[in-house]
Every structure is written in C-alpha cells, then in structure tokens.
Amino acid sequence: GDTNLLDFLISNGDSSDYVLSFTGSGNEVTWVSGSSVSSSYADIDYDIIGDYNIFTIGVESDGAKQDLTYSGDSNEIDITQTGYGSAVGGHSIIHNLVGDSNTVTILQETTLAASVINLDTNGNNQVITITQSD
C-alpha cells in the first residue's frame, strides 16, 4: 500500500532469515536489528517496488547478509551495517536498483574479516555514497 509508516526493531535474531516484500509509494520503513541484543548471522532479503519511499536500515551484528532489490524512482535508501563481521566471511550487501533519481547511502564497518558490497544500478540521476571501513 501507499503512505505507511513501519518500524521493525529486532532483538535475539541470531541466525534468522527474513524475507520482506513492499509494494507501494510514499512509505517510510525503519529496520533495526542487533545493537543491544545479538542478531548475528542474520540473512535479510528485501524486495521493494514503488516511488518516493524512505528506507532506513540498521544492522549491528556479526556476519550479517542483506540482499536488496529496488524498483522505482525518487527513493531514499540508507543502509548501515556494523559489527565485528565473522572470521568466516564478514558482512555482505547485495544491492540491485532499477529506477531514476534514487539516493543510496551505505555504511559498512567490520573489524575481523573482509566484507563485500555488490551494487548494480540501472537508471539515471542516481546519488550513491558508499563508506566501507574496518
């Protein structure tokens, strides 16, 4: 649907597998997992279709994996992925975007392992900022 406000605050989500699908425009979605309680090795898949949406995603855990597929125009996507990473494989973000005039900001930080960001975009006038550090 359109013009919804959704907040997801996840705790005790170790080794969880989430599949989230959103269709609509003008929505504001906040996803927070980890932080004060562990969500290590969470696997989160997002499928988003629509325009003028705002997605704020924060994952603070070890070894998180996120797979995001967006289709639409003038969306704002802010992804923060922090935590130790894992000695096995670190964090990963797979991000596929189709549309015009989207703003994407990704911050990915780990300390113990290499992490990966796979970004594929198709469209015009994208604003993309990526910060990756250990």
Side-chain angles (χ1 to χ4, degrees):
D2 298 330
T3 319
N4 294 293
L5 177 60
L6 303 164
D7 291 326
F8 297 91
L9 306 172
I10 309 300
S11 60
N12 292 327
D14 284 353
S15 300
S16 295
D17 190 0
Y18 302 97
V19 178
L20 306 166
S21 296
F22 300 95
T23 301
S25 297
N27 296 299
E28 188 170 337
V29 177
T30 301
W31 175 276
V32 177
S33 64
S35 190
S36 61
V37 182
S38 180
S39 287
S40 296
Y41 309 105
D43 184 348
I44 310 164
D45 300 321
Y46 308 85
D47 187 16
I48 302 157
I49 300 170
D51 303 322
Y52 304 103
N53 293 302
I54 299 172
F55 283 82
T56 304
I57 299 167
V59 177
E60 183 180 340
S61 67
D62 297 343
K65 178 184 178 239
Q66 296 188 76
D67 190 342
L68 304 104
T69 302
Y70 295 94
S71 178
D73 301 326
S74 300
N75 294 296
E76 293 180 32
I77 301 108
D78 185 6
I79 303 166
T80 301
Q81 190 173 41
T82 61
Y84 287 106
S86 72
V88 177
H91 297 305
S92 71
I93 295 175
I94 299 169
H95 191 279
N96 298 299
L97 174 60
V98 176
D100 296 323
S101 303
N102 294 289
T103 301
V104 178
T105 304
I106 298 173
L107 168 63
Q108 186 181 66
E109 296 178 337
T110 59
T111 57
L112 296 178
S115 293
V116 175
I117 299 172
N118 248 344
L119 181 65
D120 184 19
T121 64
N122 185 354
N124 298 308
N125 301 317
Q126 314 289 13
V127 176
I128 299 173
T129 304
I130 297 174
T131 303
Q132 189 177 47
S133 65
D134 60 1

